[in-house]
Amino acid sequence: MMKGLKKWRLFAMLTALIVFLSGCGKNYLSTLSPAGEVAKEQHNLMLLATAIMTLVILVVVIIYVLALVKFRRKRVGEDVIPKQVEGSTKLEILWTAIPIILLLILAVPTVALTYKLADTKAMDAKVADGQNKPVTINVTAKLYWWQFEYKNEGIVTSQELVVPTGEKVYFNLTAGDVKHSFWIPAIGGKMDTNVDNVNKFYLTFDKESKDLEDGVFYGKCAELCGPSHALMDFKVKTLSRADFDNWVKEMKASDKQVATGDLEKQGEEIFKTSCVSCHATSGVGKGTGLAPNLATFGDRNRVAGVLDHNKENIKKWINDPQAVKPGNTMPQPEKINNGKKFTDQELDALAAYLMGLSVEK
């Protein structure tokens, strides 16, 4: 009796856990809350696959239960052996044909969608005068950050992807060191970034991100790439086409950014002597490619992709980047500051300068 009760308690706990966890998804991070055409089509395909698997499980369970009930010993006796169906031609045909049919039902839309999402010919198509060229972004994944180069707009940013809504956005994906994988869960499935070849695909973004909880969609690296793989995040800000065009305009003018206050100016001087050899601060400059472009640093949602965006976390990151992201390629401060750590005053100045790098404020 007690053994049976324990089993039912376990079943009840698992059921409650499933119901509880089903509400944990966030609309800026969940594949179950699709926010683009590609994500919706992939979501429908996932629902179809789930329905087929559920149907198979239900049929098997029903047959299993019926067999248990019909042929239980209390009903048929100890010495009765049910009729054996091994070698039945009808049954062999039946349970060979049914899986083939189910596989076809799943395979046909899967193959069709695969070819549809791989169609990137419009990326290089000519457009008529007055029409916008397709937004095409060269994505380079590095340990452990992301660079986004806007091919037609002539600008570069990092860590925070900005895109227009209501149109296809095309991506050329590569890796700068080891294999990574580009994934925006709410917008579309993942795609690998490789060192030796370019992968291409497109995504669409249905709504502006400003109304989301954090004001951005979350993107991640979906390929185990090193000790800080789980921290290789990026954010996606979606804008109307008019706002996107204005953002591009401001990015092109970002090389004119100058520090204003005394503390910011002090930070700019420190930056020029210690950091500028790796980081660019203009949206029209690719820099060396060794480190993220910082033209929009003051507009970002996170520091280093994972820390809350405030001056204390900027200082924490600069002072000891390995403590935040083990294995990343940013040098410790002693290597760029004449063998010494930055003082609190210098860190305050650098943080103030970086927070002032903005194209949106």
Side-chain angles (χ1 to χ4, degrees):
M1 180 69 177
M2 289 300 295
K3 189 175 181 181
L5 283 174
K6 288 181 179 179
K7 288 182 178 180
W8 280 107
R9 285 177 183 172
L10 179 60
F11 177 76
M13 287 176 62
L14 290 174
T15 303
L17 186 62
I18 291 171
V19 173
F20 176 76
L21 291 177
S22 66
C24 290
K26 298 288 187 179
N27 58 353
Y28 54 79
L29 184 60
S30 176
T31 57
L32 302 180
S33 299
E37 176 192 351
V38 174
K40 290 175 181 176
E41 290 178 328
Q42 292 175 339
H43 182 254
N44 291 337
L45 195 61
M46 183 169 60
L47 291 179
L48 174 63
T50 302
I52 291 173
M53 290 185 289
T54 303
L55 175 63
V56 171
I57 291 172
L58 285 175
V59 170
V60 172
V61 170
I62 289 171
I63 294 173
Y64 179 72
V65 172
L66 287 176
L68 286 178
V69 172
K70 183 176 181 180
F71 299 109
R72 67 186 189 276
R73 288 183 178 180
K74 289 184 179 180
R75 182 172 179 176
V76 300
E78 293 286 341
D79 300 324
V80 175
I81 298 177
K83 180 182 177 181
Q84 302 300 294
V85 295
E86 181 182 357
S88 169
T89 302
K90 290 182 179 180
L91 287 177
E92 291 286 352
I93 293 174
L94 186 65
W95 58 52
T96 301
I98 290 176
I100 292 175
I101 293 171
L102 293 178
L103 285 174
L104 286 174
I105 293 173
L106 184 58
V108 170
T110 299
V111 172
L113 186 59
T114 299
Y115 277 95
K116 178 183 177 182
L117 299 182
D119 182 9
T120 59
K121 292 190 293 292
M123 181 190 298
D124 300 313
K126 294 182 179 179
V127 298
D129 292 341
Q131 290 186 338
N132 293 315
K133 291 183 178 180
V135 176
T136 301
I137 302 172
N138 298 331
V139 178
T140 306
K142 303 187 180 185
L143 295 170
Y144 297 92
W145 60 280
W146 301 83
Q147 177 174 282
F148 307 114
E149 179 185 0
Y150 293 72
K151 181 179 177 181
N152 296 324
E153 290 74 17
I155 57 176
V156 179
T157 186
S158 62
Q159 293 298 85
E160 191 165 282
L161 178 65
V162 180
V163 293
T165 57
E167 59 187 85
K168 291 181 178 179
V169 178
Y170 295 89
F171 296 90
N172 293 313
L173 305 176
T174 59
D177 34 55
V178 299
K179 190 183 189 73
H180 301 281
S181 188
F182 180 86
W183 187 29
I184 311 171
I187 304 300
K190 61 195 74 169
M191 178 75 75
D192 282 351
T193 66
N194 302 315
V195 177
D196 297 326
N197 67 286
V198 179
N199 282 335
K200 302 180 178 182
F201 80 140
Y202 70 84
L203 296 172
T204 60
F205 303 79
D206 283 354
K207 63 182 181 180
E208 295 181 39
S209 59
K210 61 184 180 181
D211 295 326
L212 297 174
E213 183 177 328
D214 288 341
V216 291
F217 290 100
Y218 277 48
K220 303 188 72 66
C221 175
E223 182 76 35
L224 184 59
C225 55
S228 289
H229 155 69
L231 304 176
M232 191 173 167
D233 291 4
F234 63 96
K235 308 300 180 288
V236 185
K237 188 174 293 181
T238 58
L239 307 173
S240 67
R241 173 42 101 157
D243 287 341
F244 175 76
D245 289 341
N246 186 63
W247 178 80
V248 171
K249 180 181 177 182
E250 294 297 326
M251 281 291 286
K252 289 182 177 180
S254 61
D255 58 338
K256 298 179 176 62
Q257 294 188 92
V258 293
T260 52
D262 291 339
L263 190 61
E264 288 82 357
K265 289 180 179 178
Q266 181 186 346
E268 184 178 27
E269 290 303 314
I270 298 170
F271 186 91
K272 286 180 178 179
T273 59
S274 302
C275 312
V276 78
S277 60
C278 294
H279 292 280
T281 57
S282 167
V284 293
K286 291 181 66 172
T288 62
L290 296 174
N293 184 298
L294 302 178
T296 63
F297 190 91
D299 303 322
R300 290 185 191 170
N301 179 271
R302 291 287 189 273
V303 174
V306 291
L307 300 175
D308 289 339
H309 195 254
N310 56 54
K311 291 183 179 180
E312 288 304 313
N313 281 332
I314 295 174
K315 292 162 61 177
K316 177 181 178 181
W317 167 248
I318 295 173
N319 196 50
D320 192 359
Q322 294 302 321
V324 178
K325 279 187 175 180
N328 81 87
T329 57
M330 181 169 172
Q332 293 295 105
E334 296 89 341
K335 293 186 178 181
I336 58 174
N337 191 37
N338 299 318
K340 299 177 294 182
K341 279 188 172 292
F342 291 114
T343 66
D344 285 341
Q345 172 68 20
E346 289 172 329
L347 288 172
D348 285 335
L350 280 169
Y353 169 67
L354 291 172
M355 288 294 273
L357 295 174
S358 169
V359 300
E360 298 179 17
K361 296 175 182 177

